[in-house]
Amino acid sequence: MRLDRNYAKPYLSPQEYETYIEKHRAELEKLKNGGHADGMLGWLHPEDWADEAMCTRIEELAGEIREKAQVFVVVGLGGSNQGARALIEALCPQDAMPGGPEILYAALNLSASYYETLLKRIDGRSVYVNVIAKNFQTLEPGLTFRMLRHYMESRYSKEEAARRIITTVTVGDGMLHRISEENGYRYLPFPEDVGGRYSVFTPVGLLPVAVAGIHIRELIQGAVKAERACLAGGELLEDAKSYAVTRNALLEKGYGIEVLSFFEPQLEAFGRWWRQLFAESEGKQNTALFPAVCSFTEDLHSVGQYLQQGKRQMIETFLHIATPPCDRKVDPEPQMDDGFDYLDGRTFHEINECAYRATVKAHSEGGVPCMIVELDGLDARSLGELMYFYFIVCVCSSVLLGVDPFDQPGVENYKTEMFRLLKTKK
Ligand code: PA5
């Protein structure tokens, strides 16, 4: 994994970069030993929650589900599902073991149509459900679990329904823990010292990922590699700090949006994970870059226009995969002149690379400070390393902004009014 800041340099001189560092020396001092901030730091050591015993337990449970289920419904919202979705979309099918159930996501919204479609997709198939909730106060998983629980109990005996429901819960006095104990659901721990959006390396992310057939030990190895590199104060920590410094120094210069762009559409759910991580961690006290995501080349034909010539307020980070999971040669066309003969002898990857290089050049010359995060390949280990790296960048960046990366007080505001409306007698 490498960070390239060269395309941002025309927009942030070495002197401006150094001035920002000087001004924030006190905050940067706090970031020795791996981006520490105070608070929910259980994610800092991935093996604390994904040790040998936990990996074996999750693999055994996932093995049963892969054998018996045709469909696996993940009930969870925000940090309770984004990490697993990111990995499953990015790595399946190429890096996953073949077989296993279709994975569906519930509790993403309050839409009756979405729920009806979900029911149609699971009906008549062998269903397992994983309900993931840290507090079990969030409306979407609470409502969806009530409906799915009734559905499961209408299709299976009460005992069989209970065997097919697995919960990921705060163990102790949590409501979902109590419900699980009383109803005989099997449960995994949702670590108390890990917030939702930092939970991908805990049972929260690991069970769905293992059910998808992804090698969770390789994922953890990637995260641990990044952890060691950061805690030893090595190059990766320096990259994380300089990424955080660059984006916030540009914020101080008036840029307001960071776009994460990639040329592999399998990374779209990763983009949503990244967007949630930064939006909920940093977007408070009227500060921070707004995180946006672009999937190229498709979005070059929509927001690409804005990136090139719209209001100059964006910085862009390209997530570049040096060797994608597969490639294919372009078919020759001897029969017809279709105007595309210049592609003869090329592969998709070569063509995609030309589009990527051309876009970096056009955007950076067009007034967008660009950075590149490069991964060698798209596999569990690389993504483990990348996700851990982004945790560190996000914490460093939040510390520089002076905000708490582990809370999200702003999401409560609409809820107060929603609950008032819902609790008013009809
Ligand atoms: O990152 C976070 O902490 C949040 O996005 C939560 O994951 C999200 O609000 C869901 O919370 P819960 O699992 O308690 O329902």
Side-chain angles (χ1 to χ4, degrees):
M1 228 202 79
R2 285 164 296 282
L3 172 75
D4 178 352
R5 297 174 46 247
N6 283 323
Y7 293 95
K9 287 183 179 162
Y11 302 95
L12 189 69
S13 69
Q15 199 194 343
E16 288 170 317
Y17 183 81
E18 289 307 324
T19 306
Y20 183 90
I21 289 187
E22 204 40 59
K23 200 168 133 197
H24 294 271
R25 190 155 295 287
E27 291 90 331
L28 283 161
E29 278 299 307
K30 286 191 210 157
L31 297 172
K32 280 184 187 145
N33 309 321
H36 280 266
D38 296 329
M40 305 273 284
L41 287 170
W43 54 271
L44 205 53
H45 306 295
E47 283 173 315
D48 285 357
W49 287 103
D51 61 5
E52 176 60 34
M54 184 57 79
C55 285
T56 304
R57 189 171 157 207
I58 289 173
E59 284 162 349
E60 281 171 8
L61 195 48
E64 174 193 323
I65 298 167
R66 282 175 62 77
E67 192 191 318
K68 302 224 165 97
Q70 292 170 307
V71 61
F72 180 64
V73 185
V74 179
V75 179
L77 182 65
S80 289
N81 82 9
Q82 296 275 11
R85 278 173 88 192
L87 288 162
I88 293 167
E89 270 194 34
L91 298 177
C92 293
Q94 88 276 352
D95 199 40
M97 289 173 267
E102 182 183 7
I103 301 188
L104 298 177
Y105 302 94
L108 305 183
N109 51 55
L110 299 166
S111 157
S113 317
Y114 186 90
Y115 183 72
E116 285 297 313
T117 307
L118 179 83
L119 280 189
K120 282 194 191 116
R121 289 180 72 179
I122 66 177
D123 211 26
R125 302 166 80 192
S126 169
V127 187
Y128 270 69
V129 175
N130 181 200
V131 185
I132 309 171
K134 190 170 179 70
N135 300 316
F136 201 57
Q137 285 165 2
T138 310
L139 198 159
E140 290 87 342
L143 167 65
T144 308
F145 182 36
R146 180 190 283 191
M147 303 294 283
L148 278 179
R149 190 165 68 236
H150 293 168
Y151 171 83
M152 296 292 278
E153 286 169 3
S154 73
R155 269 196 58 192
Y156 302 103
S157 68
K158 205 161 166 58
E159 295 69 38
E160 180 62 10
R163 217 175 53 77
R164 289 167 175 266
I165 295 172
I166 290 117
T167 59
T168 308
V169 302
T170 303
V171 178
D173 54 6
M175 165 88 90
L176 191 54
H177 182 213
R178 181 182 58 71
I179 293 175
S180 303
E181 289 272 14
E182 285 172 7
N183 290 276
Y185 306 147
R186 287 173 288 178
Y187 59 84
L188 293 166
F190 195 136
E192 266 185 80
D193 56 356
V194 181
R197 57 191 173 276
Y198 295 86
S199 67
V200 65
F201 302 125
T202 75
V204 173
L206 294 180
L207 179 64
V209 162
V211 170
I214 293 165
H215 299 275
I216 56 173
R217 286 169 201 259
E218 289 180 13
L219 177 75
I220 298 298
Q221 279 162 17
V224 169
K225 182 177 168 208
E227 175 201 356
R228 294 204 176 125
C230 286
L231 297 193
E235 208 177 313
L236 201 65
L237 180 61
E238 288 315 308
D239 275 354
K241 282 194 205 171
S242 85
Y243 189 168
V245 165
T246 304
R247 60 200 298 284
N248 288 325
L250 288 163
L251 174 72
E252 280 195 3
K253 283 189 78 176
Y255 292 88
I257 298 169
E258 180 180 4
V259 180
L260 184 77
S261 302
F262 38 79
F263 284 73
E264 292 294 335
Q266 284 164 273
L267 290 170
E268 282 171 15
F270 180 89
R272 282 195 296 275
W273 172 86
W274 173 89
R275 186 178 63 178
Q276 190 221 354
L277 177 66
F278 279 86
E280 280 199 332
S281 299
E282 292 193 313
K284 39 199 88 151
Q285 295 177 29
N286 302 322
T287 188
L289 291 162
F290 178 82
V293 177
C294 279
S295 180
F296 294 152
T297 54
E298 183 179 5
D299 288 339
L300 285 173
H301 301 266
S302 63
V303 288
Q305 169 59 40
Y306 190 101
L307 271 156
Q308 197 65 51
Q309 294 182 329
K311 187 167 155 51
R312 301 295 73 193
Q313 58 182 333
M314 290 91 47
I315 72 167
E316 188 170 15
T317 299
F318 288 87
L319 185 51
H320 179 234
I321 311 297
T323 310
C326 70
D327 198 6
R328 192 181 183 98
K329 227 174 163 167
V330 174
D331 291 345
E333 178 48 281
Q335 313 288 352
M336 187 199 292
D337 176 10
D338 64 2
F340 289 100
D341 284 355
Y342 59 90
L343 299 177
D344 287 354
R346 298 278 196 176
T347 70
F348 273 70
H349 176 48
E350 287 169 4
I351 298 166
N352 211 13
E353 276 294 290
C354 291
Y356 155 68
R357 288 208 294 270
T359 307
V360 175
K361 187 168 188 305
H363 289 183
S364 61
E365 288 176 1
V368 181
C370 294
M371 290 187 274
I372 298 166
V373 172
E374 182 161 287
L375 287 194
D376 291 335
L378 203 46
D379 51 59
R381 213 178 296 250
S382 310
L383 285 179
E385 193 181 350
L386 178 68
M387 287 171 126
Y388 190 93
F389 172 72
Y390 264 124
F391 285 159
I392 298 286
V393 173
C394 188
V395 171
C396 289
S397 191
S398 302
V399 170
L400 289 171
L401 290 171
V403 300
D404 179 349
F406 306 120
D407 67 0
Q408 57 280 335
V411 300
E412 296 308 317
N413 291 21
Y414 85 92
K415 287 187 191 169
T416 310
E417 176 61 8
M418 177 179 71
F419 291 136
R420 191 189 65 75
L421 293 172
L422 285 170
K423 289 176 185 175
T424 304
K425 287 252 175 290
K426 278 201 284 184

